[in-house]
């Protein structure tokens, strides 16, 4: 490499060309390494996404060629679709409950683990385990068993004299069992919190305790502010994940969103419209509305972040 | 050192290996045909199907059949997706509910040109052929006929000292079921709750001279019918003939989660061919009988193809596929392997041959069909678009009523208005 680069240096005009050539070749190397990802992104993400934008203005039914019908799908969604509003409500309830609970739980455990207890790597791995199993079918099936009428949860409650309902098949509770399933998968935010906690220099706490700050004050005045970038990151990632949640509801209700549509997540409704009722055009429009909601939410979070996220620089 | 790998040699090498790869994708024997076969159903069905496949492959060198199977709920989304990607399986197990939907959208191959040649179904009776036609063309090969059948746990009735619910009226049925629940101290119910299930609902409507849908695809019932239906089951829940809502909601509409299989209730509303699948999963001997009758003077039952083979319009191996399909319905050995698990064969000759060495389970199913045949009415017209959505909606409203979220009367009202909205949209 060095020898080939030196030869033109002496022959052609100096400096500029060589620099440009070097920059170009470096970019080429970079892009050639990116090719596998680029192919995936263009072919499997961007392409289908744009195709679904087009389909959202058609009456595509999977089997026949789509015909453009303008804004009819969107118009119906907003003016004449009770299930749209219902599934929105289910999804928002899920997001609003699951995300804060999960983050609080993850942070709490990260703080416990951060106190330098013996066997930390083991605990870390154990607590992370549910997140690895998380989206799997097996866990959703396990959940169904745990929260059934004669499931383990009710057996335990029975010891204390409570006769629990059939959590998973009672529309008053079924959504909350899914929230619990999500909270249980606190592993990945916990690991990130743990890394964030490690970044906080111990002398800050030392100074605070000399000044007489108690543990609660230290948490509110030191830990939380210094951790806000990590909280922000976890918050965004978890919220987007929660909006997109599909597998648990799909498996636990076997695709119906039941009982009585109590677990009809927005994504599940979208899936039913597209794949069960052959209304792929309509489903595409629903998908774009979800995309826009998530985009708005993320933009809003970033805009407000300057007021509550403290970067340590 | 001759390590001069310049660009040209590299290019040649690359082209060479690409060529090799291309060669590799050409089948070794040109007459080989690979068939993709797709069906839904229980493990019992898979075992039988794969046995028939392997016998056929042994007999026909050069034919390779790959099976794919899924549960009913996942089956249709996957088929629709594959059809959208123009990559559907060659031979598709098809349901009466969907055949018109797929045929009218051009996804299925009309089979008329094969009849009398590689497809020898001339001895099928007219009803068995007509039920596989859409707009006058044949799109399905009848895999066997079935009818509504109530499957019940004999031991539960015996233990309760109650008569088995054989050909009873609805009133008598709920009376017996309540007695069963009582004899089991309320921990085991006389029947599962059928209010959200389409087949008993349709059967009951037909007894009253109504239908789910009319010939021209409109709603075939009115508010009073729907309300009466929900009221009948609300009463059954009150007398504890059937379980409370949160127990019933565990049933996910398949054999495995049905309350009969789960050991929670003594009766399940199903189809005759599913008897085999149920018995395999149940320790207790099961009985099979007609749905309760007497909601009106008309017959509720009808014979229908429990399923059919349809062929994908874009298949490249139509002839081999037809031959294999023919093997399963007209070859004595092939048909024997499938037995009556997909319904009672439509060909009289095959029916006789299959019946001759059926096990006890199979005999019960054949006897049941002979028992029902003189009592059936005509098959209803192919369901209109949106029928699948209405079926899902029935279950939701039945749950709303059973959980006490809406009153019986409002449930009936809601059913009619939502069904009309779905039909007018489709």
């Amino acid at each position: 490499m060095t020898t080939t680069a030196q030869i033109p240096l002496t022959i052609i005009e100096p400096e500029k060309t060589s620099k440009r050539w070097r920059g170009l070749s470096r970019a080429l190397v970079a892009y050639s390494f990116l090719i596998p990802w680029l192919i995936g992104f263009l072919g499997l993400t961007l392409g289908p996404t744009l195709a679904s934008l087009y389909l959202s203005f058609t009456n595509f039914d999977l089997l026949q060629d789509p015909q453009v019908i303008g804004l009819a799908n969107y118009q119906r969604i907003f003016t004449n679709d009770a299930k749209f509003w219902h599934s929105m409500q289910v999804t928002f309830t899920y997001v609003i409950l699951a995300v804060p609970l999960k983050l609080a739980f993850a942070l709490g455990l990260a703080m416990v683990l951060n106190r330098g207890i013996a066997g930390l790597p083991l605990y870390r791995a154990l607590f992370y385990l549910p997140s690895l199993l998380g989206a799997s079918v097996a866990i959703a099936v396990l959940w169904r068993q745990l929260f059934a009428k004669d499931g383990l949860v009710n057996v335990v409650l029975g010891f204390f004299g409570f006769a629990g309902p059939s959590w998973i098949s009672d529309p008053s509770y079924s959504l909350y069992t899914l929230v619990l399933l999500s909270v249980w998968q606190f592993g990945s935010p916990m690991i990130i919190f743990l890394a964030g906690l490690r970044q906080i220099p111990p002398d800050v706490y030392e100074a605070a305790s000399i000044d007489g700050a108690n543990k609660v004050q230290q948490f509110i005045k030191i830990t939380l502010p210094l951790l806000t970038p990590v909280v922000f990151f976890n918050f965004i990632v978890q919220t987007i994940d929660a909006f997109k949640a599909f597998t648990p509801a799909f498996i636990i209700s076997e695709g119906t969103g039941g009982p009585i549509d109590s677990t009809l997540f927005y994504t599940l409704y979208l899936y039913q419209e597209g794949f069960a009722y052959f209304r792929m055009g309509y489903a595409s429009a629903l998908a774009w509305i979800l995309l826009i909601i998530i985009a708005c939410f993320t933009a809003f979070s970033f805009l407000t972040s300057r007021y509550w996220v403290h970067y340590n620089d | 050192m001759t390590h001069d790998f310049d660009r040209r040699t590299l290019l040649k090498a690359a082209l060479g290996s690409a060529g090799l790869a291309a060669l590799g994708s050409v089948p070794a024997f040109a007459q080989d045909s690979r068939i993709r076969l797709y069906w839904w159903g229980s493990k019992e069905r898979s075992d039988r199907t794969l046995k028939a496949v392997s016998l056929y492959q042994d007999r026909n060198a050069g034919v390779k059949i790959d099976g794919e199977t899924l549960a009913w709920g996942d089956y249709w989304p996957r088929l629709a997706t594959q059809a959208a990607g123009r990559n559907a399986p060659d031979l598709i197990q098809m349901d009466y509910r969907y055949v018109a939907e797929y045929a009218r959208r051009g996804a299925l191959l009309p089979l008329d040109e094969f009849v009398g040649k590689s497809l020898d179904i001339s001895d099928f009776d007219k009803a068995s052929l007509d039920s596989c036609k859409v707009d006058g063309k044949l799109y399905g090969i009848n895999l066997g006929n079935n009818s509504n059948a109530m499957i019940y746990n004999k031991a539960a009735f015996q233990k309760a000292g109650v008569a088995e619910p054989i050909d009873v009226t609805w009133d008598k049925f709920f009376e017996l079921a309540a007695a069963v629940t009582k004899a089991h101290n309320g921990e085991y119910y006389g029947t599962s709750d059928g209010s959200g299930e389409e087949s008993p609902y349709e059967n009951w409507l037909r007894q009253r001279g109504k239908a789910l849908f009319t010939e021209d695809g409109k709603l075939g019932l009115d508010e009073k019918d729907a309300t009466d239906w929900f009221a009948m089951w609300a009463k059954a829940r009150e007398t504890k003939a059937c379980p409370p809502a949160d127990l019933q909601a565990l049933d996910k509409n398949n054999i495995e989660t049905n309350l009969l299989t789960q050991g929670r209730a003594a009766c399940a509303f199903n189809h005759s061919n599913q008897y085999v699948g149920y018995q395999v999963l149940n320790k207790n001997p099961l009985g099979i009988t007609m749905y309760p009758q007497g909601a009106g003077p008309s017959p509720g039952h009808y014979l229908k193809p429990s399923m059919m083979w349809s062929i994908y319009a874009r298949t490249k191996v139509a002839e081999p596929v037809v031959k294999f399909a023919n093997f399963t319905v007209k070859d004595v050995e092939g048909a024997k392997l499938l037995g009556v698990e997909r319904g009672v064969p439509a060909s009289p000759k095959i029916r006789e041959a299959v019946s001759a060495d059926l096990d006890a389970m199979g005999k019960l199913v054949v006897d049941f069909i002979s028992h029902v045949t003189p009592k059936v009415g005509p098959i209803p017209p192919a369901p209109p678009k949106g029928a699948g959505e209405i079926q899902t909606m029935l279950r939701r409203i039945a749950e709303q009523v059973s959980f006490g979220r809406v009153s019986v009367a409002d449930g009936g009202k809601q059913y009619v208005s939502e069904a009309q909205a779905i039909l007018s949209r489709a």
Side-chain angles (χ1 to χ4, degrees), chain A residues 61-277:
Chain A
D61 69 354
L62 285 171
L63 299 176
Q64 287 166 315
D65 292 333
Q67 287 166 326
V68 175
I69 53 167
L71 288 170
N73 287 332
Y74 291 94
Q75 194 189 351
R76 186 191 168 86
I77 288 172
F78 287 114
T79 58
N80 191 15
D81 187 352
K83 269 197 167 183
F84 164 76
W85 297 107
H86 174 75
S87 63
M88 271 285 168
Q89 191 196 335
V90 171
T91 291
F92 268 89
T93 311
Y94 177 77
V95 171
I96 289 167
L97 288 177
V99 174
L101 278 175
K102 185 178 188 172
L103 291 185
F105 202 65
L107 179 57
L109 263 165
M111 290 180 61
V112 171
L113 289 182
N114 194 35
R115 287 163 59 172
I117 45 174
L120 175 64
L122 178 70
Y123 285 114
R124 214 164 40 195
L126 280 180
F127 285 131
Y128 193 70
L129 211 56
S131 302
L132 291 177
L133 305 169
S136 75
V137 173
I139 289 300
V141 171
L142 173 77
W143 222 247
R144 209 156 69 192
Q145 300 294 333
L146 276 178
F147 288 94
K149 181 110 183 159
D150 51 2
L152 192 63
V153 171
N154 279 348
V155 171
V156 173
L157 285 178
F159 275 122
F160 299 101
F162 296 109
S166 178
W167 304 96
I168 212 91
S169 62
D170 188 320
S172 314
Y173 306 105
S174 48
L175 181 59
Y176 304 108
T177 62
L178 293 182
V179 170
L180 216 59
L181 176 60
S182 154
V183 173
W184 181 62
Q185 290 153 15
F186 56 87
S188 78
M190 179 197 74
I191 295 285
I192 297 170
F193 276 134
L194 199 53
L197 288 171
R198 291 283 170 89
Q199 300 287 317
I200 303 175
D203 44 346
V204 185
Y205 290 105
E206 221 174 274
S209 68
I210 290 170
D211 288 343
N214 63 27
K215 288 281 173 202
V216 177
Q217 285 170 322
Q218 286 181 18
F219 176 74
I220 291 170
K221 299 276 181 189
I222 300 172
T223 313
L224 265 189
L226 289 177
L227 211 55
T228 45
V230 179
V231 173
F232 181 57
F233 173 81
N234 271 339
F235 177 68
I236 296 268
V237 170
Q238 294 301 327
T239 308
I240 293 177
D241 260 11
F243 270 119
K244 295 193 312 189
F246 174 77
T247 322
F250 180 77
I251 305 290
I252 286 176
S253 73
E254 302 239 350
T256 63
I260 323 187
D261 290 349
S262 58
T263 60
L264 187 72
F265 284 4
Y266 190 77
T267 50
L268 197 52
Y269 174 49
L270 188 165
Y271 171 86
Q272 284 183 354
E273 283 291 310
F275 292 97
Y277 307 143

Side-chain angles (χ1 to χ4, degrees), chain B residues 34-65:
Chain B
R34 278 189 101 89
I35 298 174
R36 280 170 62 207
L37 170 64
Y38 187 53
W39 73 91
W40 75 82
S42 59
K43 177 162 185 307
E44 173 72 15
R45 180 170 303 158
S46 291
D47 294 344
R48 288 170 180 269
T49 311
L50 293 175
K51 269 186 207 153
V53 163
S54 86
L55 175 65
Y56 189 76
Q57 288 180 153
D58 290 347
R59 280 201 203 163
N60 299 274
V63 178
K64 177 84 181 69
I65 302 173

Side-chain angles (χ1 to χ4, degrees), chain A residues 61-63 65 76 83 149-150 166 169 171-172 252 254 259-261 271 273 275 277-279 282, chain B residues 74 77 80-81 83-84 86 101-102 104-105 246 249-250 252 254 264 389 392 396 399-400 403 405 425:
Chain A
D61 69 354
L62 285 171
L63 299 176
D65 292 333
R76 186 191 168 86
K83 269 197 167 183
K149 181 110 183 159
D150 51 2
S166 178
S169 62
S172 314
I252 286 176
E254 302 239 350
I260 323 187
D261 290 349
Y271 171 86
E273 283 291 310
F275 292 97
Y277 307 143
F278 297 96
R279 289 194 280 259
Y282 196 74
Chain B
D74 302 327
T81 316
R86 315 212 153 158
E101 197 126 11
Y102 276 88
R104 288 186 183 138
R105 287 175 167 137
D246 61 343
L250 294 171
K252 301 297 179 193
N254 55 38
R264 308 258 194 190
E389 204 175 345
T392 316
R396 192 185 78 237
E399 281 178 345
Q400 281 178 328
F403 275 108
R405 298 290 174 92
R425 178 184 182 190

Side-chain angles (χ1 to χ4, degrees), chain B residues 253-321:
Chain B
N253 219 359
N254 55 38
I255 296 182
E256 290 79 8
T257 57
N258 188 290
L259 295 187
L260 173 66
T261 310
Q262 294 284 323
R264 308 258 194 190
C267 293
F269 295 93
N270 263 291
H271 295 98
S272 54
N273 61 303
Q274 288 170 314
Y275 176 79
V276 179
Y278 268 96
Q279 184 63 79
V280 169
L281 287 181
N282 276 270
K283 267 184 293 182
N284 295 309
L286 301 179
I288 178 170
T289 183
M290 289 172 75
Y291 283 178
Q293 299 292 307
S298 312
H301 283 68
Y302 57 90
L303 290 177
K304 77 171 186 81
S306 46
M307 54 203 76
M308 46 187 109
W309 288 134
S310 286
I311 297 178
Y312 183 41
R314 292 170 180 272
T315 182
K316 296 195 174 66
V317 284
E319 191 64 32
V321 172

Side-chain angles (χ1 to χ4, degrees), chain B residues 1 40-41 44 62 66 86 144 221 223 240 245 247 308 321 374:
Chain B
M1 295 289 272
W40 75 82
E44 173 72 15
D66 298 317
R86 315 212 153 158
L221 57 105
E223 216 174 280
K240 298 214 159 47
L247 197 55
M308 46 187 109
V321 172

Side-chain angles (χ1 to χ4, degrees), chain B residues 158-189:
Chain B
Q158 281 156 11
K159 193 189 156 200
V162 172
E164 293 177 23
I166 299 168
D167 297 354
V168 289
T169 62
W170 285 98
D171 289 343
K172 182 77 186 162
F173 170 66
F174 287 122
E175 196 182 297
L176 295 175
V180 169
T181 310
K182 206 167 169 217
H184 290 82
N185 301 320
E187 284 167 5
Y188 184 87
Y189 290 87

Side-chain angles (χ1 to χ4, degrees), chain B residues 341-394:
Chain B
E341 195 276 330
R342 279 186 168 87
V344 176
S347 155
K349 189 183 120 218
I350 293 296
R351 185 161 58 225
E352 211 168 287
V354 168
S355 306
D357 57 21
L358 275 179
D359 51 10
M361 280 193 281
K363 279 211 178 72
L364 265 177
V365 176
V366 175
D367 289 349
F368 173 74
I369 289 295
S370 333
H371 172 72
V372 174
T373 303
K375 303 180 182 179
V376 297
I379 188 167
K385 270 189 193 176
E389 204 175 345
I390 291 175
Q391 185 183 20
T392 316
M393 187 267 291
L394 170 67

